[in-house]
Amino acid sequence: METLEFIIYPDGRVQEKVTGIVGASCAEVTAAIEAQLGQVLIQEPTSEFFTANNIQESGIANTQTAFT
């Protein structure tokens, strides 16, 4: 199951967690949302990003953005 989770902090930072997407294509899934939220400060790939023999590519799971 593919899920996107967002945590919005009082200072305006948003932490985004993507699960259920294997490989690098989660960047495509989250690109439009991140463009609306603001500047990406940190990206941390999860183990799903590095899964061998990816059938579908996706997966930067933790992304922090700041509103611009």
Side-chain angles (χ1 to χ4, degrees), residues 23-66:
S25 70
C26 81
E28 295 173 14
V29 171
T30 61
I33 297 168
E34 291 170 2
Q36 294 297 313
L37 290 175
Q39 178 183 14
V40 175
L41 301 176
I42 299 169
Q43 293 183 336
E44 299 175 15
T46 64
S47 60
E48 290 175 326
F49 178 85
F50 298 105
T51 300
N53 298 322
N54 295 330
I55 295 172
Q56 55 172 276
E57 294 188 22
S58 67
I60 297 172
N62 289 317
T63 303
Q64 290 187 0
T65 61

